[in-house]
Amino acid sequence: MTEPPQPPSDPNQPYGPGQPTQGPPSGPGRYQPPSGYPQQGYPQQGYPPQPQPGYPQYSAGAYGQYPQQPYAQGGYPQPALARPGAGLAARLGTRLSRRPEARFGISLAAGGVALALVGVLVWGFGYFAAGLQIDLGLDGGPPRANGESRRFLGAGLALAMVVIGYLLVVLRRRGPLATAGVVASAFGVPLMMIFLTLDVGHLFAGQFPISIDAVWLVSIIVWLISYFAVPGAQGRAFYLAAAAIGLAGYVGFKTGENALLRTAASTVNNGSLSSGAGTGSIAAVGLIFGLAYYAVAVFLDRSGRSGAAVALVVAGFGVTLGGVIAAVPTFHQIGTGVLLIVLGALLGWYGGYFGRRFTTWVWTAALVIGVGLIVQKIIPSDYTGAGILLIAVGAVVVVLAQVISSLSTEAPEFEATPAQAPAATS
């Protein structure tokens, strides 16, 4: 058997993670192996066990009682490494379990890309509209539009944004440039599809000038592929939130047959817009999808995957809010107030329980707005009575808040710390 490697004679040069010392090969001055491993095997030589060909260095039988411990919460995050056969959680990495921190540079980069995307929209549509010629068919032929090939400038600009965005995401992975790439690639896809499917001639047949199905479905598919499979984009909540909002919006659009747009553009009836017929189905889709997203977010938060839960919380807020707005013509003022109180209580409690600031604040505010709507409906014109009622209700809400906080052993917003003693003076 060959002799195990000798530690260097210079005590200032470390031997692996341990530190050699001068002295005999055994006894107090012998080489000290790294802490955390059992010091057994070869006690006469004073060195830790050496690996043998064909055998693992640390067998499960001898060292199974020393499992590797994960990093404690708050330590330096260690992303999970993707490997053959690894689960989805390992492939998505740290972004699955941790919420991104707020950074000014990263937010500013996202704002810069938003400006660039608006520039693509303005340039592309301006160029398209400048060369568009409408033939109303006064000569007996069907109405038609000429110059629609000019839409390809906008499509090309949007495609360039998408390509540059994915390059930044893949090459940079983190930081402002990577975030700029995420925003560019996410919003560039539907913008590109809008230009590609733009056909003004459809307006003459009473149809939309773009393909709603193509824009929505292609975007959702690309966003999901980006979230689950594209290196650097994996686990980024932005793509998952966009896909969730897009899915709910698409289902609501197909179910309600674009009732909101038809209501907004309807003819004036008795000095006001006609009632929003068909918005009930949109409200139902919004509330069902929104609450379902929040339910998934609760599950993810409970399982320690708060990073992915961010996407569902963002999508849940937007979709639920859209459902509430669409429900106003059906629920009227009292019903909308009751709905806001119920949603505000449930979702505000969820946000507070899992430490989600925006969710807690915005849905608690929705609860307060719901109370205000009911009070205003009960006492519409008597300002004295309305003021007294609001004061009384507000006092009841404050007392109720204290009771709920006490019963649920809710922690305070700040932990109390002992005051520093004044410095001693001579």
Side-chain angles (χ1 to χ4, degrees), residues 292-314:
Y293 288 158
Y294 274 116
V296 176
V298 171
F299 169 77
L300 292 173
D301 276 325
R302 289 180 61 88
S303 60
R305 297 168 179 175
S306 58
V310 170
L312 278 303
V313 168
V314 172

Side-chain angles (χ1 to χ4, degrees), residues 100-142:
E101 303 291 341
R103 298 291 184 264
F104 174 71
I106 291 175
S107 301
L108 188 62
V113 172
L115 290 174
L117 287 167
V118 172
V120 169
L121 188 65
V122 172
W123 186 5
F125 271 113
Y127 179 78
F128 174 78
L132 188 64
Q133 297 178 354
I134 303 297
D135 186 355
L136 298 178
L138 299 179
D139 55 353

Side-chain angles (χ1 to χ4, degrees), residues 224-237:
L224 290 177
I225 292 175
S226 301
Y227 180 78
F228 288 107
V230 176
Q234 284 180 325
R236 286 188 174 268

Side-chain angles (χ1 to χ4, degrees), residues 311-402:
L312 278 303
V313 168
V314 172
F317 170 72
V319 175
T320 304
L321 180 61
V324 171
I325 294 174
V328 171
T330 303
F331 284 20
H332 305 291
Q333 187 168 339
I334 293 290
T336 303
V338 173
L339 180 62
L340 287 176
I341 292 174
V342 174
L343 292 177
L346 292 175
L347 299 178
W349 177 87
Y350 154 68
Y353 186 84
F354 289 102
R356 296 195 173 276
R357 296 177 178 87
F358 178 79
T359 302
T360 305
W361 297 336
V362 74
W363 286 112
T364 303
L367 186 152
V368 173
I369 293 174
V371 173
L373 289 176
I374 295 177
V375 171
Q376 194 277 332
K377 185 64 175 179
I378 295 176
I379 307 178
S381 57
D382 184 1
Y383 62 88
T384 301
I388 294 174
L389 183 58
L390 285 173
I391 293 173
V393 172
V396 171
V397 170
V398 171
V399 174
L400 183 62
Q402 178 61 39

Side-chain angles (χ1 to χ4, degrees), residues 57-126:
Q57 182 174 358
Y58 301 105
S59 64
Y63 304 100
Q65 66 271 30
Y66 297 98
Q68 296 214 356
Q69 301 297 326
Y71 285 88
Q73 185 176 3
Y76 191 81
Q78 299 294 321
L81 299 178
R83 60 188 185 278
L88 178 62
R91 291 197 300 271
L92 295 181
T94 307
R95 294 184 182 275
L96 181 64
S97 57
R98 293 195 59 184
R99 288 180 280 181
E101 303 291 341
R103 298 291 184 264
F104 174 71
I106 291 175
S107 301
L108 188 62
V113 172
L115 290 174
L117 287 167
V118 172
V120 169
L121 188 65
V122 172
W123 186 5
F125 271 113

